[in-house]
Amino acid sequence: MATTDQDGPAVPDASHILVRGAGKTYGSGERATTALADVDLSVPRGRFVSVIGPSGCGKSTLLRLVAGLEEPDTGDVSIFGATAREASAAKSIGFVPQVPALLPWLSVLDNVRVLDKVNRRAGRRRREAAGPAVAGCELAGDPVQLLTRLGLGDALDQRPGQLSGGMKQRTAIARAFALQPDVLLMDEPFSALDEFTREAVQLQLLDVWHETRTTVLFVTHSVTEAVLLSDTVVVMAARPGRIAAVVEIGLDRPRRHGHLDSDTMHACEHEVRARLEQAWTDVLPRDLV
Amino acid sequence: MSGADTWTARAGRRVRRVLRAAARPLHPRWWLPTVVALAAAAVVWTLVARANPYVLPALGAVGDQLSTQPGFYLRNAAATLQEALLGLVAGSLAAFALAVAISESSLLRRAVMPLVVVLNVTPVVAIAPALVVAFGFGVLPKLIVTALITFFPVLMNTATGLRSVAAPVLQVFRTVDASRADVLWRLRIPSALPYVFAALRVVFPLSIVGAIVAEFSAAGATQGLGTVISVASSNSQLDRVFAAIACLALMGAVLLLLVTALERRVLSWHESQARPS
Ligand SMILES: Nc1ncnc2c1ncn2[C@@H]1O[C@H](COP(=O)(O)OP(=O)(O)O)[C@@H](O)[C@H]1O
Ligand SMILES: [Mg+2]
């Protein structure tokens, strides 16, 4: 299960990312928007978990809370036993925003390496703590190899201005993997890509993830994408943002194009859609008032 | 054999391409409009100069001035250029440093910005005579006037540029707990460079205006094209006045070329430098 229904303060847990009773309200008085209300979420280490829901249901807000970019008004967040602040101070969070957020004056390769030069002390400590090479470390630890695996081997020296949208987003993903973080947070990274590019990039992401097995929290509004990529799909509902259902995806890995058409995949998609619709109709009556 | 053939073919193509590129300015379609416009301006000038010699000197007289006394004009141009460049460097550096400081401290911004705005709305031309009284006829008052003129555009543009980093980039840096210094050096300053250059393109030519204004105000100054102009016009030596003006125009053009070349090098990554294909 990806959610817990236990109450009480978050117990530091070294094997899970825990969000407990998290609430977040923007603005005050008449104009207040409750972006999140009482959200509980638990992501076991090494799992690929997607968060899906309609626009405005608080997916990005949830991700920002986990990334430590914002503090929850109520509840708390723990990342493998540490607070979000401690986790980012230790460089254990990789963040891929919706737009690629590359530095236009650096080459693709330098964009992937630029975070090495930031907060060096935490980087050194992470390398010491890692000790003997973990599986997948070799790939993630080598930016050139990583970029090559993501199909950017020929573009290492190009500037972001010369790249297509898909190439930019793959560069941003490579930058996040290169940190060798404990958790990767991705906010609709493929939503701006055309369908062909998106499918290609999804499979490349799976390919790299399969080797690194980094814990991933992935925000999307595409059911197909969520099912293809994830072990677990968390369905959110809006107003206020909350978790409506959790669907386990029992598809085998590694997943390939063939899976896009399998019956199991269709069954999973069907279930996620049904949960989304249910969450949506729960909201409708209030919308009509 | 075929390798040699393709090599010669390739070399031939390249030579033709280079020749075509070099020949483009030689084609009448390229230079004719400019030449016609210049000739028309010269004709109008000559007509006005002939009808009214106290408005414009004959072009030939201006040319004579420049060709018979090149040393005189070069020396005075060098003096003015020196004042302009020194002021430019001092003003730009101070503005850049202050922009960085106020972008890092909102306390400092609130303290300093009102002063800066007051300074900006004060006409520098009005301050120049006072500066001459205070600092004499040397380089210093001219340097200060030029620096003041340079200061405000560079400050405002740099401050805007330092704030121009997109939020998602800042978020990525924050999730790895980047220090303020890292954000400043690796994000804010590079992002500000296009804005800094936009300001420099404006203030490079303006710096000459600053130097001239300061020279006009320092009635006893012995050097500089501004001094040449004010002395010559009080003696009704129009040819000398316009020879000095021609030098100033040329200096402005050279400075603009300089800053453009610098921009091409530093901002090769920026979309403003994309060459039309
Ligand atoms: N910084 C903010 N200030 C005010 N309202 C916000 C802010 N961020 C998000 N919201 C509001 O919170 C709600 C959830 O937003 P968000 O988390 O971006 O949703 P999603 O990513 O699912 O589309 C929306 O109603 C949005 O308007
Ligand atoms: Mg969002």
Side-chain angles (χ1 to χ4, degrees), chain A residues 10 19 32 57 62 66-67 86 92 112 166 174 190 206 273 282:
Chain A
V19 178
C57 72
L62 176 60
V66 177
E86 288 164 353
S92 56
V112 172
F190 306 143
L206 274 183
R273 279 215 177 83
D282 285 350

PDB file of all heavy atoms in Angstrom, chain A residues 10 19 32 57 62 66-67 86 92 112 166 174 190 206 273 282:
ATOM      1  N   ALA A  10       4.549  11.667  12.125  1.00  0.00           N
ATOM      2  CA  ALA A  10       5.318  10.786  11.260  1.00  0.00           C
ATOM      3  C   ALA A  10       6.447  10.141  12.064  1.00  0.00           C
ATOM      4  O   ALA A  10       7.191  10.820  12.750  1.00  0.00           O
ATOM      5  CB  ALA A  10       5.897  11.570  10.096  1.00  0.00           C
ATOM      6  N   VAL A  19       4.490  11.260   3.759  1.00  0.00           N
ATOM      7  CA  VAL A  19       3.781  12.526   3.883  1.00  0.00           C
ATOM      8  C   VAL A  19       2.613  12.241   4.808  1.00  0.00           C
ATOM      9  O   VAL A  19       1.829  11.330   4.541  1.00  0.00           O
ATOM     10  CB  VAL A  19       3.268  13.022   2.510  1.00  0.00           C
ATOM     11  CG1 VAL A  19       2.494  14.320   2.673  1.00  0.00           C
ATOM     12  CG2 VAL A  19       4.432  13.205   1.548  1.00  0.00           C
ATOM     13  N   ALA A  32      -8.908  32.417  -0.141  1.00  0.00           N
ATOM     14  CA  ALA A  32      -8.062  31.284   0.203  1.00  0.00           C
ATOM     15  C   ALA A  32      -8.345  30.082  -0.703  1.00  0.00           C
ATOM     16  O   ALA A  32      -9.486  29.785  -1.015  1.00  0.00           O
ATOM     17  CB  ALA A  32      -8.284  30.904   1.661  1.00  0.00           C
ATOM     18  N   CYS A  57      -5.351  20.124  -8.924  1.00  0.00           N
ATOM     19  CA  CYS A  57      -5.714  19.307  -7.761  1.00  0.00           C
ATOM     20  C   CYS A  57      -4.589  19.273  -6.736  1.00  0.00           C
ATOM     21  O   CYS A  57      -4.701  18.599  -5.720  1.00  0.00           O
ATOM     22  CB  CYS A  57      -6.098  17.902  -8.181  1.00  0.00           C
ATOM     23  SG  CYS A  57      -4.712  16.906  -8.731  1.00  0.00           S
ATOM     24  N   LEU A  62       2.076  19.242  -3.866  1.00  0.00           N
ATOM     25  CA  LEU A  62       2.564  18.071  -3.133  1.00  0.00           C
ATOM     26  C   LEU A  62       4.048  17.851  -3.409  1.00  0.00           C
ATOM     27  O   LEU A  62       4.848  17.617  -2.497  1.00  0.00           O
ATOM     28  CB  LEU A  62       1.734  16.844  -3.553  1.00  0.00           C
ATOM     29  CG  LEU A  62       2.157  15.508  -2.954  1.00  0.00           C
ATOM     30  CD1 LEU A  62       2.067  15.543  -1.431  1.00  0.00           C
ATOM     31  CD2 LEU A  62       1.297  14.370  -3.506  1.00  0.00           C
ATOM     32  N   VAL A  66       7.377  17.919  -0.852  1.00  0.00           N
ATOM     33  CA  VAL A  66       8.354  16.840  -0.699  1.00  0.00           C
ATOM     34  C   VAL A  66       9.758  17.354  -1.031  1.00  0.00           C
ATOM     35  O   VAL A  66      10.744  16.961  -0.422  1.00  0.00           O
ATOM     36  CB  VAL A  66       7.977  15.638  -1.589  1.00  0.00           C
ATOM     37  CG1 VAL A  66       9.034  14.545  -1.494  1.00  0.00           C
ATOM     38  CG2 VAL A  66       6.619  15.090  -1.193  1.00  0.00           C
ATOM     39  N   ALA A  67       9.843  18.274  -2.000  1.00  0.00           N
ATOM     40  CA  ALA A  67      11.146  18.814  -2.391  1.00  0.00           C
ATOM     41  C   ALA A  67      11.688  19.803  -1.359  1.00  0.00           C
ATOM     42  O   ALA A  67      12.823  20.252  -1.479  1.00  0.00           O
ATOM     43  CB  ALA A  67      11.033  19.501  -3.747  1.00  0.00           C
ATOM     44  N   GLU A  86      16.636  18.787   5.410  1.00  0.00           N
ATOM     45  CA  GLU A  86      17.864  17.999   5.594  1.00  0.00           C
ATOM     46  C   GLU A  86      18.200  17.222   4.330  1.00  0.00           C
ATOM     47  O   GLU A  86      19.366  17.121   3.940  1.00  0.00           O
ATOM     48  CB  GLU A  86      17.687  17.024   6.767  1.00  0.00           C
ATOM     49  CG  GLU A  86      17.681  17.696   8.133  1.00  0.00           C
ATOM     50  CD  GLU A  86      17.120  16.789   9.232  1.00  0.00           C
ATOM     51  OE1 GLU A  86      16.605  15.696   8.918  1.00  0.00           O
ATOM     52  OE2 GLU A  86      17.196  17.193  10.398  1.00  0.00           O
ATOM     53  N   SER A  92      20.132  14.927  -1.586  1.00  0.00           N
ATOM     54  CA  SER A  92      19.545  13.625  -1.895  1.00  0.00           C
ATOM     55  C   SER A  92      18.228  13.750  -2.656  1.00  0.00           C
ATOM     56  O   SER A  92      17.510  12.775  -2.797  1.00  0.00           O
ATOM     57  CB  SER A  92      19.373  12.802  -0.620  1.00  0.00           C
ATOM     58  OG  SER A  92      18.596  13.505   0.313  1.00  0.00           O
ATOM     59  N   VAL A 112      24.502  19.105 -17.279  1.00  0.00           N
ATOM     60  CA  VAL A 112      24.338  17.915 -16.446  1.00  0.00           C
ATOM     61  C   VAL A 112      25.315  17.953 -15.269  1.00  0.00           C
ATOM     62  O   VAL A 112      25.018  17.487 -14.182  1.00  0.00           O
ATOM     63  CB  VAL A 112      24.537  16.644 -17.296  1.00  0.00           C
ATOM     64  CG1 VAL A 112      24.572  15.397 -16.422  1.00  0.00           C
ATOM     65  CG2 VAL A 112      23.412  16.532 -18.318  1.00  0.00           C
ATOM     66  N   GLY A 166      12.177  17.760 -26.616  1.00  0.00           N
ATOM     67  CA  GLY A 166      12.450  16.442 -26.050  1.00  0.00           C
ATOM     68  C   GLY A 166      13.895  16.318 -25.588  1.00  0.00           C
ATOM     69  O   GLY A 166      14.178  15.747 -24.527  1.00  0.00           O
ATOM     70  N   ALA A 174      18.691  13.837 -17.200  1.00  0.00           N
ATOM     71  CA  ALA A 174      20.059  13.372 -16.977  1.00  0.00           C
ATOM     72  C   ALA A 174      20.695  14.133 -15.809  1.00  0.00           C
ATOM     73  O   ALA A 174      21.385  13.550 -14.969  1.00  0.00           O
ATOM     74  CB  ALA A 174      20.892  13.559 -18.238  1.00  0.00           C
ATOM     75  N   PHE A 190       6.950  15.499 -19.281  1.00  0.00           N
ATOM     76  CA  PHE A 190       6.741  15.235 -20.709  1.00  0.00           C
ATOM     77  C   PHE A 190       5.498  15.905 -21.263  1.00  0.00           C
ATOM     78  O   PHE A 190       5.129  15.680 -22.416  1.00  0.00           O
ATOM     79  CB  PHE A 190       6.626  13.713 -20.947  1.00  0.00           C
ATOM     80  CG  PHE A 190       7.790  12.947 -20.395  1.00  0.00           C
ATOM     81  CD1 PHE A 190       7.604  11.699 -19.825  1.00  0.00           C
ATOM     82  CD2 PHE A 190       9.066  13.477 -20.433  1.00  0.00           C
ATOM     83  CE1 PHE A 190       8.682  10.993 -19.314  1.00  0.00           C
ATOM     84  CE2 PHE A 190      10.150  12.778 -19.921  1.00  0.00           C
ATOM     85  CZ  PHE A 190       9.944  11.529 -19.359  1.00  0.00           C
ATOM     86  N   LEU A 206      12.589   4.849 -18.536  1.00  0.00           N
ATOM     87  CA  LEU A 206      12.453   3.530 -17.915  1.00  0.00           C
ATOM     88  C   LEU A 206      13.761   2.762 -17.982  1.00  0.00           C
ATOM     89  O   LEU A 206      14.160   2.091 -17.026  1.00  0.00           O
ATOM     90  CB  LEU A 206      11.346   2.735 -18.612  1.00  0.00           C
ATOM     91  CG  LEU A 206       9.933   2.958 -18.096  1.00  0.00           C
ATOM     92  CD1 LEU A 206       8.966   2.044 -18.829  1.00  0.00           C
ATOM     93  CD2 LEU A 206       9.858   2.717 -16.598  1.00  0.00           C
ATOM     94  N   ARG A 273      -8.655   5.110 -14.742  1.00  0.00           N
ATOM     95  CA  ARG A 273      -9.664   6.029 -15.287  1.00  0.00           C
ATOM     96  C   ARG A 273     -10.919   6.022 -14.446  1.00  0.00           C
ATOM     97  O   ARG A 273     -11.504   7.073 -14.170  1.00  0.00           O
ATOM     98  CB  ARG A 273     -10.024   5.621 -16.719  1.00  0.00           C
ATOM     99  CG  ARG A 273      -9.023   6.119 -17.698  1.00  0.00           C
ATOM    100  CD  ARG A 273      -9.585   6.528 -19.033  1.00  0.00           C
ATOM    101  NE  ARG A 273      -8.440   7.034 -19.782  1.00  0.00           N
ATOM    102  CZ  ARG A 273      -7.606   6.240 -20.439  1.00  0.00           C
ATOM    103  NH1 ARG A 273      -7.837   4.953 -20.515  1.00  0.00           N
ATOM    104  NH2 ARG A 273      -6.554   6.764 -21.041  1.00  0.00           N
ATOM    105  N   ASP A 282     -17.466  13.075  -7.677  1.00  0.00           N
ATOM    106  CA  ASP A 282     -17.636  13.480  -6.280  1.00  0.00           C
ATOM    107  C   ASP A 282     -17.592  14.992  -6.155  1.00  0.00           C
ATOM    108  O   ASP A 282     -18.213  15.576  -5.276  1.00  0.00           O
ATOM    109  CB  ASP A 282     -16.514  12.891  -5.408  1.00  0.00           C
ATOM    110  CG  ASP A 282     -16.746  11.404  -5.168  1.00  0.00           C
ATOM    111  OD1 ASP A 282     -17.856  10.941  -5.514  1.00  0.00           O
ATOM    112  OD2 ASP A 282     -15.830  10.741  -4.663  1.00  0.00           O
TER     113      ASP A 282
END
